[in-house]
Each structure stands twice: as structure tokens, then as C-alpha cells.
Amino acid sequence: MIKVHLVPADGGEALTLEAKPGQSLMQAAVAANVHGIEAECGGLLTCATCHVYVREAFIDKLPEPTGDELGMLAFTASPKKPNSRLSCQIALVPELDGLTVDLPATQT
Ligand code: FES
């Protein structure tokens, strides 16, 4: 299992999840009913409501975003930052054990 940590926008205590390899971060968050990940499109890359901010230590461990992901990142409800990613595009692999992301203040 791969541990991931999601930090709420208010800076409160991080929620730690155990995800299966191959799951997307979005799928793991939705399965755990994480408040703050809406994922309205179910991972089809058409909603941008699965936006997260990836902590610096993990940015280089993620594959570069595709052009389609970059395009959708223009539509996030909370400000887009250099570490913004769409969690449905983050495939959880063992190298990402301990992945920590901050949740945006709003997804809609
Ligand atoms: Fe819709 Fe990620 S779930 S873009």
C-alpha cells in the first residue's frame, strides 16, 4: 500500500490514506470520502475539481503533466500555482509513498 497525506486548506491535520498501487490520487481520495476533492467528471479530465497542490519534495517524482492536464489546470476554482496538479492524473506508484498534497480552498 502507498501512504498519501492530504492537508486541508485551513492547514489542519493531514488526512492519511492507504492507496493501492495503480490507483489515482483522486480515486483514493474519493474512496475515502475526502472533503475537498470533488472529481465531478470521475477522472475524464474535464472538470478540474480534483485540483491539489503537490508538496515540493514530490514534484520531481511525478511525471510532467500532459498538455490536456495543463489545459484543464486553467479552469481550477482556486488559484493555479506552479505545483498545481489534477489528482486524477497522479497514478500512485511505490515511489510516491508518503506523497503529501495541500487541498485548495475550493474546487467549485
Ligand atoms: Fe475531473 Fe480530475 S476528476 S479532471
Side-chain angles (χ1 to χ4, degrees):
M1 297 298 263
I2 300 164
K3 270 194 186 158
V4 295
H5 310 285
L6 299 104
V7 181
D10 66 5
E13 196 175 331
L15 183 65
T16 297
L17 307 179
E18 301 232 340
K20 293 185 200 132
Q23 264 190 318
S24 71
L25 177 58
M26 176 279 280
Q27 288 171 326
V30 167
N33 288 317
V34 172
H35 181 73
I37 297 287
E38 304 286 335
E40 285 172 3
C41 78
L44 297 176
L45 204 47
T46 58
C47 75
T49 62
C50 62
H51 180 204
V52 295
Y53 301 114
V54 176
R55 289 278 173 100
E56 193 176 345
F58 291 92
I59 288 180
D60 291 342
K61 294 185 178 179
L62 296 178
E64 291 288 314
T66 62
D68 287 344
E69 182 181 353
L70 287 173
M72 280 312 297
L73 280 166
F75 298 100
T76 56
S78 291
K80 179 181 171 235
K81 300 179 186 175
N83 61 339
S84 285
R85 296 296 301 260
L86 296 178
S87 60
C88 68
Q89 301 303 302
I90 299 177
L92 296 172
V93 293
E95 295 72 35
L96 292 176
D97 188 43
L99 173 67
T100 304
V101 302
D102 293 285
L103 296 170
T106 183
Q107 296 281 10
T108 56

